[in-house]
């Protein structure tokens, strides 16, 4: 992701509401996918699996797992930011609120709608909070830290982490299903589409300018070639 951290002294009144809005929507999107009971993303399969073996809520375990992941930053020499701590605290609270508001055990058509809405909202919310450029969440920081420490690509490190987390969550009884696969193949595209439209644009910022240009090239239809005219 070419969007680097921007110090909070730069337009905090513009960026902090965006950060917390994105994180709140992200937590609510998790609640939608939990209520669909059709499968979750790897980290949330782990959270749901842990919830089956404790008296703690899904949101509380989301917060605790995020805090535990943050401890792994220490040997990797990663530095948390306000965005990191906001991610840990806000997502768990908003997911528990969403689970309290949403009815349980809906009919199958409603479950499908909950899953689709949850995935779309999840991709949008990632774009919103990442676009605020207030720093990475604990899981993103673990990924970049391990990639830097091992010299492996971000894609390989992320895949390895999510396979391990998914396997652990499945063994604990977390919800793995068609929604897990659908999430994996669609959420990246949703985020990529939304991110240029949500990203905070600092002055003289080539990272955001290049991101917006790339997105425009991918979505804009090519113009017709000019008529060469007679005699050419």
């Amino acid at each position: 992701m070419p969007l680097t951290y921007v110090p909070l002294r730069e337009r905090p009144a513009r960026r902090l509401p965006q950060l917390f809005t994105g994180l709140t929507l992200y937590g609510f999107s998790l609640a939608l996918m939990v209520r669909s009971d059709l499968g979750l993303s790897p980290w949330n399969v782990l959270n749901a699996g842990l919830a089956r073996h404790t008296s703690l809520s899904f949101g509380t375990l989301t917060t605790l797992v995020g805090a535990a992941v943050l401890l792994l930053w220490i040997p990797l020499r990663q530095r948390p930011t306000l965005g990191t701590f906001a991610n840990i605290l806000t997502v768990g609270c908003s997911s528990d609120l969403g689970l309290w508001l949403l009815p349980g055990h809906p009919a199958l058509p409603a479950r499908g709608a909950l899953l689709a809405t949850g995935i779309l909202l999840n991709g949008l919310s990632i774009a919103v909070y990442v676009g605020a450029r207030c720093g990475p969440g604990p899981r993103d920081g673990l990924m970049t830290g391990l990639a830097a420490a091992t010299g492996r690509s971000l894609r390989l490190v992320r895949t390895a982490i999510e396979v391990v987390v998914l396997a652990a969550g499945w063994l604990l009884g977390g919800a793995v299903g068609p929604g897990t696969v659908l999430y994996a193949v669609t959420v990246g595209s949703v985020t990529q589409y939304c991110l240029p439209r949500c990203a905070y644009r600092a002055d003289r910022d080539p990272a955001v300018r290049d991101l917006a240009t790339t997105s425009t090239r991918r979505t804009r239809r090519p113009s017709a070639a000019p008529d060469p005219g007679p005699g050419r």
Side-chain angles (χ1 to χ4, degrees), residues 7-201:
L8 287 173
R9 63 178 177 272
E10 184 172 329
R11 300 186 66 188
R14 154 69 173 80
R15 295 164 56 212
L16 288 178
Q18 177 175 337
L19 170 68
F20 285 100
T21 297
L23 293 173
T24 301
L25 292 175
Y26 183 86
F28 194 78
S29 75
L30 301 185
L32 289 167
M33 289 187 283
V34 169
R35 284 290 185 246
S36 78
D37 198 25
L38 292 172
L40 299 167
S41 62
W43 281 102
N44 294 299
V45 171
L46 176 61
N47 296 334
L50 290 170
R52 292 174 63 90
H53 298 275
T54 70
S55 60
L56 300 175
S57 69
F58 176 86
T60 299
L61 286 165
T62 300
T63 300
L64 292 176
V65 169
V69 171
L70 186 60
L71 294 177
L72 299 176
W73 285 30
I74 297 173
L76 298 173
R77 298 182 179 180
Q78 295 283 94
R79 294 183 177 181
T81 64
L82 174 64
T84 309
F85 294 112
N87 186 298
I88 293 173
L89 297 173
T90 307
V91 171
C93 293
S94 61
S95 60
D96 268 354
L97 176 61
L99 289 171
W100 180 73
L101 291 172
L102 294 168
H105 309 294
L108 183 58
R111 291 164 59 195
L114 287 170
L115 176 65
T117 304
I119 292 175
L120 290 172
L121 183 60
N122 190 272
L124 170 62
S125 63
I126 292 172
V128 172
Y129 79 74
V130 169
R133 304 178 68 179
C134 295
R139 298 158 189 81
D140 296 326
L142 176 64
M143 175 187 66
T144 56
L146 284 173
T150 62
R152 304 293 184 178
S153 68
L154 287 174
R155 179 180 298 178
L156 177 61
V157 170
R158 180 179 182 125
T159 300
I161 291 173
E162 297 208 346
V163 167
V164 170
V165 168
L166 179 61
W170 177 72
L171 290 172
L172 290 168
V176 178
T180 306
V181 178
L182 184 62
Y183 180 91
V185 300
T186 59
V187 73
S189 297
V190 176
T191 302
Q192 181 174 315
Y193 176 81
C194 296
L195 189 53
R197 295 157 177 81
C198 299
Y200 168 71
R201 289 165 171 77

